Amino acid sequence: MAEKEPETEVGQAADKSVKGVVTAFGQSLKTLRLRAGMEREELGKRLGYSASTIASFEQGRRIPPPRAVDQSDEVLDAGGLLTVWKDQLERAQYPVFFQGMAQLEKQAVELLAYDTLAVKGLLQTEEYMRALLINRRPPLDAETIEQRVTARLARQAIFDRHPAPFLSFVMCESVLRRQFGGREVLRGQLEQLLLIGQQRNVELQVMPLDCADNAGVDGPFTVITREDGKRFVYAEAQGNSTLETDPKQAVVAAARYGIIRAQALSPRESLQLIEKLLGEL
């Protein structure tokens, strides 16, 4: 069974629901701030934000990170009236079509990802993220970009989890040559890949451009395994996504990924190639 979103009535309804959650939280925050007799400037100072950012939170134009929700609840003596929104706000950080995948990443004991267009979100630097989001057409507004950068950075907590999940990434060599945001942005991204590739629970491989055999011709996809052993296959394109829950399809995708890994450069060879490309910038 596959779940597909958005650009459907279901996806549009979910998007409205997300906006409703963010708006309702903002109204609660404003009500509690006024009850406490506190100006936006004062609340912002105590939370480490500008008054304009507090206004964005209250008006539902920006989603506060979990830390800000916790601090707001404490500073305003809300007694949990704000923290109760945390789970819903966390989901709302992501585009509707990605929310299911974001939850699965937090439960993963194994994640296998093949990418052909851009560096995987889990591996991206903040500068690379911004460059990609700025390139979106139609253009995203500044607050949406900030929201998605914050959410994407939060996902990288997967690298610090204990016990550590097994993470395997294979990417086409062309991904490592695309200068989204310019040479310096790519340089920083390649340096981050070298660091992440050295972690013991991470295998990072490159599919060379001159490789005659590539089982990944159907495009990028991710296979995730949860603690209960259930596997899921995720793929997205043009603002749409598919989250495949059929066990047979998951087995096929995992087998395909195994072939791709065998065809790609080894992790050691891949890191050497990344070092070479870095030296060419």
mmCIF file of all heavy atoms in Angstrom, residues 22 25 29 47-50 53-54 56-58 61-74 82-94 143 146-155:
data_model
loop_
_atom_site.group_PDB
_atom_site.id
_atom_site.type_symbol
_atom_site.label_atom_id
_atom_site.label_comp_id
_atom_site.label_asym_id
_atom_site.label_seq_id
_atom_site.Cartn_x
_atom_site.Cartn_y
_atom_site.Cartn_z
ATOM 1 N N VAL A 22 -0.438 25.633 13.646
ATOM 2 C CA VAL A 22 0.539 26.707 13.852
ATOM 3 C C VAL A 22 -0.154 27.993 14.285
ATOM 4 O O VAL A 22 0.304 28.696 15.186
ATOM 5 C CB VAL A 22 1.362 26.942 12.561
ATOM 6 C CG1 VAL A 22 2.352 28.084 12.767
ATOM 7 C CG2 VAL A 22 2.107 25.671 12.168
ATOM 8 N N PHE A 25 -1.404 27.617 17.942
ATOM 9 C CA PHE A 25 -0.299 27.763 18.907
ATOM 10 C C PHE A 25 0.058 29.237 19.062
ATOM 11 O O PHE A 25 0.273 29.722 20.178
ATOM 12 C CB PHE A 25 0.932 26.985 18.457
ATOM 13 C CG PHE A 25 2.140 27.289 19.312
ATOM 14 C CD1 PHE A 25 2.322 26.648 20.523
ATOM 15 C CD2 PHE A 25 3.070 28.247 18.916
ATOM 16 C CE1 PHE A 25 3.411 26.954 21.338
ATOM 17 C CE2 PHE A 25 4.158 28.556 19.715
ATOM 18 C CZ PHE A 25 4.329 27.905 20.936
ATOM 19 N N LEU A 29 0.157 31.434 22.447
ATOM 20 C CA LEU A 29 1.367 32.112 22.905
ATOM 21 C C LEU A 29 1.085 33.579 23.187
ATOM 22 O O LEU A 29 1.490 34.128 24.228
ATOM 23 C CB LEU A 29 2.466 31.980 21.842
ATOM 24 C CG LEU A 29 3.792 32.706 22.127
ATOM 25 C CD1 LEU A 29 4.450 32.135 23.376
ATOM 26 C CD2 LEU A 29 4.732 32.591 20.930
ATOM 27 N N LEU A 47 14.027 34.592 25.553
ATOM 28 C CA LEU A 47 14.112 33.355 24.761
ATOM 29 C C LEU A 47 15.291 33.366 23.791
ATOM 30 O O LEU A 47 15.621 32.330 23.208
ATOM 31 C CB LEU A 47 12.823 33.139 23.967
ATOM 32 C CG LEU A 47 11.518 32.994 24.747
ATOM 33 C CD1 LEU A 47 10.369 32.714 23.797
ATOM 34 C CD2 LEU A 47 11.627 31.900 25.793
ATOM 35 N N GLY A 48 15.887 34.539 23.578
ATOM 36 C CA GLY A 48 16.991 34.642 22.631
ATOM 37 C C GLY A 48 16.543 34.922 21.218
ATOM 38 O O GLY A 48 17.222 34.541 20.256
ATOM 39 N N TYR A 49 15.389 35.592 21.072
ATOM 40 C CA TYR A 49 14.856 35.936 19.757
ATOM 41 C C TYR A 49 14.527 37.424 19.703
ATOM 42 O O TYR A 49 14.372 38.085 20.733
ATOM 43 C CB TYR A 49 13.578 35.139 19.456
ATOM 44 C CG TYR A 49 13.781 33.656 19.295
ATOM 45 C CD1 TYR A 49 13.468 32.779 20.332
ATOM 46 C CD2 TYR A 49 14.279 33.130 18.108
ATOM 47 C CE1 TYR A 49 13.651 31.405 20.186
ATOM 48 C CE2 TYR A 49 14.457 31.757 17.953
ATOM 49 C CZ TYR A 49 14.144 30.903 18.998
ATOM 50 O OH TYR A 49 14.331 29.558 18.853
ATOM 51 N N SER A 50 14.392 37.932 18.484
ATOM 52 C CA SER A 50 13.985 39.318 18.306
ATOM 53 C C SER A 50 12.479 39.435 18.498
ATOM 54 O O SER A 50 11.747 38.441 18.441
ATOM 55 C CB SER A 50 14.368 39.814 16.915
ATOM 56 O OG SER A 50 13.621 39.108 15.925
ATOM 57 N N THR A 53 10.617 38.123 15.549
ATOM 58 C CA THR A 53 10.491 36.662 15.503
ATOM 59 C C THR A 53 9.352 36.195 16.396
ATOM 60 O O THR A 53 8.579 35.297 16.022
ATOM 61 C CB THR A 53 11.800 35.987 15.933
ATOM 62 O OG1 THR A 53 12.843 36.357 15.025
ATOM 63 C CG2 THR A 53 11.656 34.470 15.929
ATOM 64 N N ILE A 54 9.231 36.801 17.577
ATOM 65 C CA ILE A 54 8.112 36.466 18.460
ATOM 66 C C ILE A 54 6.789 36.769 17.761
ATOM 67 O O ILE A 54 5.834 35.996 17.833
ATOM 68 C CB ILE A 54 8.196 37.251 19.787
ATOM 69 C CG1 ILE A 54 9.488 36.881 20.537
ATOM 70 C CG2 ILE A 54 6.978 36.960 20.654
ATOM 71 C CD1 ILE A 54 9.618 35.418 20.905
ATOM 72 N N SER A 56 6.297 36.681 14.573
ATOM 73 C CA SER A 56 6.109 35.630 13.566
ATOM 74 C C SER A 56 5.543 34.364 14.188
ATOM 75 O O SER A 56 4.689 33.693 13.601
ATOM 76 C CB SER A 56 7.447 35.322 12.878
ATOM 77 O OG SER A 56 7.893 36.415 12.121
ATOM 78 N N PHE A 57 6.019 34.017 15.402
ATOM 79 C CA PHE A 57 5.485 32.850 16.105
ATOM 80 C C PHE A 57 3.998 33.062 16.412
ATOM 81 O O PHE A 57 3.175 32.169 16.195
ATOM 82 C CB PHE A 57 6.234 32.619 17.426
ATOM 83 C CG PHE A 57 7.658 32.170 17.278
ATOM 84 C CD1 PHE A 57 8.558 32.321 18.334
ATOM 85 C CD2 PHE A 57 8.118 31.599 16.106
ATOM 86 C CE1 PHE A 57 9.868 31.890 18.221
ATOM 87 C CE2 PHE A 57 9.443 31.173 15.971
ATOM 88 C CZ PHE A 57 10.319 31.330 17.041
ATOM 89 N N GLU A 58 3.677 34.242 16.930
ATOM 90 C CA GLU A 58 2.307 34.512 17.360
ATOM 91 C C GLU A 58 1.335 34.591 16.188
ATOM 92 O O GLU A 58 0.157 34.241 16.329
ATOM 93 C CB GLU A 58 2.267 35.821 18.154
ATOM 94 C CG GLU A 58 2.974 35.733 19.489
ATOM 95 C CD GLU A 58 2.883 37.002 20.304
ATOM 96 O OE1 GLU A 58 2.442 38.040 19.748
ATOM 97 O OE2 GLU A 58 3.226 36.965 21.492
ATOM 98 N N ARG A 61 3.295 32.626 11.284
ATOM 99 C CA ARG A 61 4.111 32.725 10.080
ATOM 100 C C ARG A 61 5.412 31.947 10.205
ATOM 101 O O ARG A 61 6.106 31.723 9.211
ATOM 102 C CB ARG A 61 4.423 34.198 9.760
ATOM 103 C CG ARG A 61 3.196 35.002 9.356
ATOM 104 C CD ARG A 61 3.531 36.425 8.958
ATOM 105 N NE ARG A 61 3.898 37.248 10.103
ATOM 106 C CZ ARG A 61 5.118 37.688 10.364
ATOM 107 N NH1 ARG A 61 6.127 37.359 9.583
ATOM 108 N NH2 ARG A 61 5.359 38.455 11.421
ATOM 109 N N ARG A 62 5.746 31.544 11.411
ATOM 110 C CA ARG A 62 6.978 30.786 11.640
ATOM 111 C C ARG A 62 6.748 29.790 12.762
ATOM 112 O O ARG A 62 6.083 30.095 13.747
ATOM 113 C CB ARG A 62 8.125 31.744 11.995
ATOM 114 C CG ARG A 62 9.471 31.072 12.162
ATOM 115 C CD ARG A 62 10.575 32.114 12.281
ATOM 116 N NE ARG A 62 11.856 31.500 12.591
ATOM 117 C CZ ARG A 62 12.991 32.184 12.767
ATOM 118 N NH1 ARG A 62 12.992 33.501 12.648
ATOM 119 N NH2 ARG A 62 14.111 31.563 13.055
ATOM 120 N N ILE A 63 7.290 28.593 12.604
ATOM 121 C CA ILE A 63 7.097 27.530 13.597
ATOM 122 C C ILE A 63 8.264 27.545 14.576
ATOM 123 O O ILE A 63 9.423 27.405 14.172
ATOM 124 C CB ILE A 63 7.010 26.158 12.913
ATOM 125 C CG1 ILE A 63 5.845 26.139 11.931
ATOM 126 C CG2 ILE A 63 6.850 25.050 13.952
ATOM 127 C CD1 ILE A 63 5.767 24.878 11.097
ATOM 128 N N PRO A 64 8.010 27.691 15.868
ATOM 129 C CA PRO A 64 9.102 27.706 16.849
ATOM 130 C C PRO A 64 9.702 26.317 17.033
ATOM 131 O O PRO A 64 8.977 25.319 16.992
ATOM 132 C CB PRO A 64 8.412 28.187 18.134
ATOM 133 C CG PRO A 64 7.000 27.753 17.972
ATOM 134 C CD PRO A 64 6.696 27.883 16.506
ATOM 135 N N PRO A 65 11.010 26.245 17.246
ATOM 136 C CA PRO A 65 11.627 24.946 17.528
ATOM 137 C C PRO A 65 11.225 24.457 18.911
ATOM 138 O O PRO A 65 10.754 25.248 19.744
ATOM 139 C CB PRO A 65 13.134 25.251 17.454
ATOM 140 C CG PRO A 65 13.241 26.704 17.775
ATOM 141 C CD PRO A 65 12.000 27.337 17.214
ATOM 142 N N PRO A 66 11.395 23.159 19.195
ATOM 143 C CA PRO A 66 10.979 22.604 20.492
ATOM 144 C C PRO A 66 11.559 23.356 21.693
ATOM 145 O O PRO A 66 10.867 23.559 22.690
ATOM 146 C CB PRO A 66 11.499 21.156 20.425
ATOM 147 C CG PRO A 66 11.492 20.845 18.966
ATOM 148 C CD PRO A 66 11.884 22.107 18.280
ATOM 149 N N ARG A 67 12.817 23.771 21.580
ATOM 150 C CA ARG A 67 13.453 24.485 22.694
ATOM 151 C C ARG A 67 12.686 25.769 23.014
ATOM 152 O O ARG A 67 12.477 26.111 24.185
ATOM 153 C CB ARG A 67 14.899 24.804 22.342
ATOM 154 C CG ARG A 67 15.641 25.598 23.424
ATOM 155 C CD ARG A 67 17.048 25.959 22.960
ATOM 156 N NE ARG A 67 17.019 26.802 21.769
ATOM 157 C CZ ARG A 67 16.837 28.135 21.811
ATOM 158 N NH1 ARG A 67 16.657 28.742 22.962
ATOM 159 N NH2 ARG A 67 16.836 28.837 20.693
ATOM 160 N N ALA A 68 12.289 26.501 21.979
ATOM 161 C CA ALA A 68 11.553 27.755 22.179
ATOM 162 C C ALA A 68 10.189 27.504 22.813
ATOM 163 O O ALA A 68 9.716 28.308 23.625
ATOM 164 C CB ALA A 68 11.399 28.488 20.848
ATOM 165 N N VAL A 69 9.555 26.397 22.447
ATOM 166 C CA VAL A 69 8.254 26.058 23.037
ATOM 167 C C VAL A 69 8.421 25.781 24.526
ATOM 168 O O VAL A 69 7.656 26.283 25.365
ATOM 169 C CB VAL A 69 7.630 24.840 22.329
ATOM 170 C CG1 VAL A 69 6.322 24.439 23.010
ATOM 171 C CG2 VAL A 69 7.393 25.136 20.855
ATOM 172 N N ASP A 70 9.432 24.979 24.883
ATOM 173 C CA ASP A 70 9.695 24.660 26.289
ATOM 174 C C ASP A 70 9.991 25.922 27.098
ATOM 175 O O ASP A 70 9.460 26.117 28.197
ATOM 176 C CB ASP A 70 10.878 23.695 26.401
ATOM 177 C CG ASP A 70 10.531 22.289 25.939
ATOM 178 O OD1 ASP A 70 9.343 21.921 25.997
ATOM 179 O OD2 ASP A 70 11.449 21.563 25.516
ATOM 180 N N GLN A 71 10.849 26.782 26.543
ATOM 181 C CA GLN A 71 11.229 27.998 27.254
ATOM 182 C C GLN A 71 10.046 28.947 27.399
ATOM 183 O O GLN A 71 9.882 29.577 28.448
ATOM 184 C CB GLN A 71 12.376 28.694 26.521
ATOM 185 C CG GLN A 71 13.696 27.938 26.597
ATOM 186 C CD GLN A 71 14.806 28.654 25.846
ATOM 187 O OE1 GLN A 71 14.567 29.302 24.837
ATOM 188 N NE2 GLN A 71 16.034 28.537 26.342
ATOM 189 N N SER A 72 9.224 29.051 26.353
ATOM 190 C CA SER A 72 8.054 29.920 26.420
ATOM 191 C C SER A 72 7.100 29.456 27.519
ATOM 192 O O SER A 72 6.565 30.262 28.288
ATOM 193 C CB SER A 72 7.316 29.939 25.078
ATOM 194 O OG SER A 72 8.124 30.467 24.061
ATOM 195 N N ASP A 73 6.895 28.148 27.594
ATOM 196 C CA ASP A 73 5.998 27.591 28.602
ATOM 197 C C ASP A 73 6.508 27.927 30.005
ATOM 198 O O ASP A 73 5.731 28.273 30.898
ATOM 199 C CB ASP A 73 5.899 26.075 28.423
ATOM 200 C CG ASP A 73 4.710 25.491 29.171
ATOM 201 O OD1 ASP A 73 4.866 25.167 30.365
ATOM 202 O OD2 ASP A 73 3.640 25.365 28.561
ATOM 203 N N GLU A 74 7.833 27.842 30.182
ATOM 204 C CA GLU A 74 8.423 28.121 31.490
ATOM 205 C C GLU A 74 8.375 29.613 31.821
ATOM 206 O O GLU A 74 7.953 30.009 32.912
ATOM 207 C CB GLU A 74 9.866 27.625 31.511
ATOM 208 C CG GLU A 74 10.577 27.855 32.833
ATOM 209 C CD GLU A 74 11.994 27.328 32.826
ATOM 210 O OE1 GLU A 74 12.368 26.629 31.861
ATOM 211 O OE2 GLU A 74 12.732 27.615 33.788
ATOM 212 N N LEU A 82 1.528 25.281 26.542
ATOM 213 C CA LEU A 82 2.263 25.454 25.290
ATOM 214 C C LEU A 82 2.992 24.175 24.882
ATOM 215 O O LEU A 82 3.018 23.821 23.707
ATOM 216 C CB LEU A 82 3.263 26.611 25.415
ATOM 217 C CG LEU A 82 2.642 27.999 25.580
ATOM 218 C CD1 LEU A 82 3.715 29.057 25.743
ATOM 219 C CD2 LEU A 82 1.749 28.342 24.377
ATOM 220 N N THR A 83 3.575 23.474 25.841
ATOM 221 C CA THR A 83 4.329 22.260 25.501
ATOM 222 C C THR A 83 3.436 21.160 24.942
ATOM 223 O O THR A 83 3.913 20.255 24.251
ATOM 224 C CB THR A 83 5.098 21.719 26.722
ATOM 225 O OG1 THR A 83 4.188 21.513 27.816
ATOM 226 C CG2 THR A 83 6.184 22.702 27.153
ATOM 227 N N VAL A 84 2.139 21.246 25.225
ATOM 228 C CA VAL A 84 1.219 20.235 24.704
ATOM 229 C C VAL A 84 1.164 20.279 23.171
ATOM 230 O O VAL A 84 0.770 19.307 22.523
ATOM 231 C CB VAL A 84 -0.193 20.447 25.305
ATOM 232 C CG1 VAL A 84 -0.868 21.673 24.705
ATOM 233 C CG2 VAL A 84 -1.056 19.204 25.096
ATOM 234 N N TRP A 85 1.601 21.400 22.585
ATOM 235 C CA TRP A 85 1.586 21.550 21.126
ATOM 236 C C TRP A 85 2.848 20.997 20.462
ATOM 237 O O TRP A 85 2.933 20.960 19.236
ATOM 238 C CB TRP A 85 1.474 23.032 20.759
ATOM 239 C CG TRP A 85 0.189 23.692 21.118
ATOM 240 C CD1 TRP A 85 -0.089 24.409 22.252
ATOM 241 C CD2 TRP A 85 -1.011 23.708 20.345
ATOM 242 N NE1 TRP A 85 -1.380 24.865 22.238
ATOM 243 C CE2 TRP A 85 -1.974 24.457 21.070
ATOM 244 C CE3 TRP A 85 -1.371 23.171 19.100
ATOM 245 C CZ2 TRP A 85 -3.262 24.672 20.598
ATOM 246 C CZ3 TRP A 85 -2.657 23.387 18.635
ATOM 247 C CH2 TRP A 85 -3.585 24.122 19.375
ATOM 248 N N LYS A 86 3.841 20.580 21.228
ATOM 249 C CA LYS A 86 5.161 20.282 20.661
ATOM 250 C C LYS A 86 5.142 19.241 19.550
ATOM 251 O O LYS A 86 5.757 19.425 18.491
ATOM 252 C CB LYS A 86 6.138 19.844 21.763
ATOM 253 C CG LYS A 86 6.774 20.996 22.493
ATOM 254 C CD LYS A 86 7.677 20.522 23.611
ATOM 255 C CE LYS A 86 8.864 19.745 23.098
ATOM 256 N NZ LYS A 86 9.803 19.360 24.176
ATOM 257 N N ASP A 87 4.475 18.127 19.775
ATOM 258 C CA ASP A 87 4.477 17.060 18.771
ATOM 259 C C ASP A 87 3.841 17.526 17.469
ATOM 260 O O ASP A 87 4.347 17.250 16.372
ATOM 261 C CB ASP A 87 3.742 15.828 19.301
ATOM 262 C CG ASP A 87 4.525 15.095 20.371
ATOM 263 O OD1 ASP A 87 5.750 15.356 20.486
ATOM 264 O OD2 ASP A 87 3.937 14.272 21.091
ATOM 265 N N GLN A 88 2.716 18.233 17.583
ATOM 266 C CA GLN A 88 2.047 18.715 16.373
ATOM 267 C C GLN A 88 2.879 19.763 15.645
ATOM 268 O O GLN A 88 2.935 19.792 14.417
ATOM 269 C CB GLN A 88 0.678 19.300 16.743
ATOM 270 C CG GLN A 88 -0.302 18.266 17.288
ATOM 271 C CD GLN A 88 -1.647 18.880 17.606
ATOM 272 O OE1 GLN A 88 -2.384 19.262 16.703
ATOM 273 N NE2 GLN A 88 -1.978 18.986 18.884
ATOM 274 N N LEU A 89 3.551 20.624 16.414
ATOM 275 C CA LEU A 89 4.399 21.646 15.799
ATOM 276 C C LEU A 89 5.600 21.011 15.120
ATOM 277 O O LEU A 89 6.042 21.469 14.059
ATOM 278 C CB LEU A 89 4.861 22.656 16.853
ATOM 279 C CG LEU A 89 3.798 23.626 17.364
ATOM 280 C CD1 LEU A 89 4.342 24.426 18.544
ATOM 281 C CD2 LEU A 89 3.341 24.563 16.254
ATOM 282 N N GLU A 90 6.131 19.957 15.732
ATOM 283 C CA GLU A 90 7.276 19.278 15.119
ATOM 284 C C GLU A 90 6.901 18.711 13.756
ATOM 285 O O GLU A 90 7.640 18.858 12.777
ATOM 286 C CB GLU A 90 7.784 18.153 16.023
ATOM 287 C CG GLU A 90 8.998 17.446 15.447
ATOM 288 C CD GLU A 90 9.487 16.315 16.325
ATOM 289 O OE1 GLU A 90 8.868 16.060 17.376
ATOM 290 O OE2 GLU A 90 10.492 15.669 15.950
ATOM 291 N N ARG A 91 5.733 18.083 13.666
ATOM 292 C CA ARG A 91 5.281 17.556 12.382
ATOM 293 C C ARG A 91 5.046 18.682 11.384
ATOM 294 O O ARG A 91 5.330 18.549 10.192
ATOM 295 C CB ARG A 91 3.998 16.738 12.569
ATOM 296 C CG ARG A 91 4.212 15.403 13.239
ATOM 297 C CD ARG A 91 2.991 14.517 13.110
ATOM 298 N NE ARG A 91 1.850 15.043 13.844
ATOM 299 C CZ ARG A 91 1.604 14.791 15.126
ATOM 300 N NH1 ARG A 91 2.425 14.019 15.807
ATOM 301 N NH2 ARG A 91 0.537 15.308 15.722
ATOM 302 N N ALA A 92 4.544 19.802 11.895
ATOM 303 C CA ALA A 92 4.214 20.921 11.016
ATOM 304 C C ALA A 92 5.447 21.591 10.416
ATOM 305 O O ALA A 92 5.333 22.344 9.447
ATOM 306 C CB ALA A 92 3.395 21.956 11.785
ATOM 307 N N GLN A 93 6.633 21.326 10.985
ATOM 308 C CA GLN A 93 7.864 21.898 10.437
ATOM 309 C C GLN A 93 8.137 21.436 9.017
ATOM 310 O O GLN A 93 8.788 22.128 8.247
ATOM 311 C CB GLN A 93 9.069 21.491 11.295
ATOM 312 C CG GLN A 93 9.132 22.106 12.658
ATOM 313 C CD GLN A 93 10.399 21.685 13.360
ATOM 314 O OE1 GLN A 93 11.387 22.405 13.392
ATOM 315 N NE2 GLN A 93 10.394 20.493 13.923
ATOM 316 N N TYR A 94 7.638 20.241 8.698
ATOM 317 C CA TYR A 94 7.966 19.628 7.417
ATOM 318 C C TYR A 94 6.844 19.817 6.406
ATOM 319 O O TYR A 94 5.676 19.936 6.778
ATOM 320 C CB TYR A 94 8.215 18.121 7.614
ATOM 321 C CG TYR A 94 9.260 17.828 8.651
ATOM 322 C CD1 TYR A 94 8.908 17.402 9.928
ATOM 323 C CD2 TYR A 94 10.609 17.997 8.361
ATOM 324 C CE1 TYR A 94 9.871 17.146 10.899
ATOM 325 C CE2 TYR A 94 11.578 17.740 9.324
ATOM 326 C CZ TYR A 94 11.199 17.319 10.586
ATOM 327 O OH TYR A 94 12.162 17.084 11.540
ATOM 328 N N GLU A 143 10.520 33.070 5.302
ATOM 329 C CA GLU A 143 10.182 32.372 6.540
ATOM 330 C C GLU A 143 10.010 30.868 6.315
ATOM 331 O O GLU A 143 10.354 30.066 7.177
ATOM 332 C CB GLU A 143 8.928 32.989 7.164
ATOM 333 C CG GLU A 143 9.211 34.389 7.712
ATOM 334 C CD GLU A 143 8.051 34.961 8.482
ATOM 335 O OE1 GLU A 143 6.900 34.593 8.153
ATOM 336 O OE2 GLU A 143 8.280 35.765 9.391
ATOM 337 N N GLU A 146 13.523 29.461 6.224
ATOM 338 C CA GLU A 146 14.083 29.337 7.570
ATOM 339 C C GLU A 146 13.464 28.154 8.300
ATOM 340 O O GLU A 146 14.150 27.406 9.002
ATOM 341 C CB GLU A 146 13.842 30.626 8.356
ATOM 342 C CG GLU A 146 14.645 31.810 7.861
ATOM 343 C CD GLU A 146 16.134 31.514 7.818
ATOM 344 O OE1 GLU A 146 16.669 31.005 8.825
ATOM 345 O OE2 GLU A 146 16.763 31.759 6.774
ATOM 346 N N GLN A 147 12.166 27.988 8.153
ATOM 347 C CA GLN A 147 11.468 26.882 8.805
ATOM 348 C C GLN A 147 12.009 25.538 8.335
ATOM 349 O O GLN A 147 12.275 24.635 9.132
ATOM 350 C CB GLN A 147 9.984 26.985 8.493
ATOM 351 C CG GLN A 147 9.155 25.784 8.913
ATOM 352 C CD GLN A 147 7.742 25.874 8.367
ATOM 353 O OE1 GLN A 147 7.133 26.939 8.406
ATOM 354 N NE2 GLN A 147 7.226 24.775 7.850
ATOM 355 N N ARG A 148 12.204 25.408 7.029
ATOM 356 C CA ARG A 148 12.662 24.121 6.488
ATOM 357 C C ARG A 148 14.128 23.860 6.806
ATOM 358 O O ARG A 148 14.524 22.707 7.007
ATOM 359 C CB ARG A 148 12.406 24.078 4.984
ATOM 360 C CG ARG A 148 10.914 24.085 4.673
ATOM 361 C CD ARG A 148 10.600 23.728 3.247
ATOM 362 N NE ARG A 148 9.162 23.778 2.997
ATOM 363 C CZ ARG A 148 8.605 23.486 1.847
ATOM 364 N NH1 ARG A 148 9.357 23.137 0.806
ATOM 365 N NH2 ARG A 148 7.296 23.557 1.704
ATOM 366 N N VAL A 149 14.936 24.913 6.867
ATOM 367 C CA VAL A 149 16.331 24.738 7.276
ATOM 368 C C VAL A 149 16.388 24.241 8.713
ATOM 369 O O VAL A 149 17.119 23.292 9.035
ATOM 370 C CB VAL A 149 17.122 26.058 7.120
ATOM 371 C CG1 VAL A 149 18.467 25.967 7.846
ATOM 372 C CG2 VAL A 149 17.350 26.370 5.647
ATOM 373 N N THR A 150 15.615 24.860 9.592
ATOM 374 C CA THR A 150 15.584 24.457 11.003
ATOM 375 C C THR A 150 15.146 23.003 11.139
ATOM 376 O O THR A 150 15.739 22.224 11.900
ATOM 377 C CB THR A 150 14.617 25.363 11.796
ATOM 378 O OG1 THR A 150 15.088 26.714 11.738
ATOM 379 C CG2 THR A 150 14.540 24.928 13.249
ATOM 380 N N ALA A 151 14.114 22.632 10.391
ATOM 381 C CA ALA A 151 13.608 21.260 10.460
ATOM 382 C C ALA A 151 14.628 20.266 9.933
ATOM 383 O O ALA A 151 14.815 19.181 10.502
ATOM 384 C CB ALA A 151 12.308 21.154 9.670
ATOM 385 N N ARG A 152 15.290 20.614 8.849
ATOM 386 C CA ARG A 152 16.264 19.701 8.249
ATOM 387 C C ARG A 152 17.470 19.510 9.165
ATOM 388 O O ARG A 152 18.001 18.405 9.296
ATOM 389 C CB ARG A 152 16.696 20.234 6.882
ATOM 390 C CG ARG A 152 17.308 19.180 5.976
ATOM 391 C CD ARG A 152 17.417 19.652 4.535
ATOM 392 N NE ARG A 152 16.117 19.837 3.902
ATOM 393 C CZ ARG A 152 15.955 20.178 2.625
ATOM 394 N NH1 ARG A 152 17.015 20.382 1.857
ATOM 395 N NH2 ARG A 152 14.749 20.313 2.116
ATOM 396 N N LEU A 153 17.893 20.593 9.810
ATOM 397 C CA LEU A 153 19.002 20.478 10.756
ATOM 398 C C LEU A 153 18.611 19.595 11.939
ATOM 399 O O LEU A 153 19.427 18.808 12.432
ATOM 400 C CB LEU A 153 19.417 21.868 11.249
ATOM 401 C CG LEU A 153 20.159 22.745 10.237
ATOM 402 C CD1 LEU A 153 20.313 24.161 10.784
ATOM 403 C CD2 LEU A 153 21.526 22.153 9.897
ATOM 404 N N ALA A 154 17.361 19.715 12.387
ATOM 405 C CA ALA A 154 16.897 18.907 13.513
ATOM 406 C C ALA A 154 16.932 17.423 13.177
ATOM 407 O O ALA A 154 17.194 16.582 14.049
ATOM 408 C CB ALA A 154 15.486 19.332 13.912
ATOM 409 N N ARG A 155 16.676 17.073 11.925
ATOM 410 C CA ARG A 155 16.695 15.668 11.517
ATOM 411 C C ARG A 155 18.077 15.043 11.685
ATOM 412 O O ARG A 155 18.210 13.826 11.845
ATOM 413 C CB ARG A 155 16.264 15.542 10.056
ATOM 414 C CG ARG A 155 14.801 15.811 9.803
ATOM 415 C CD ARG A 155 14.530 15.943 8.315
ATOM 416 N NE ARG A 155 15.029 14.806 7.555
ATOM 417 C CZ ARG A 155 15.390 14.860 6.276
ATOM 418 N NH1 ARG A 155 15.305 15.999 5.609
ATOM 419 N NH2 ARG A 155 15.825 13.788 5.659
#
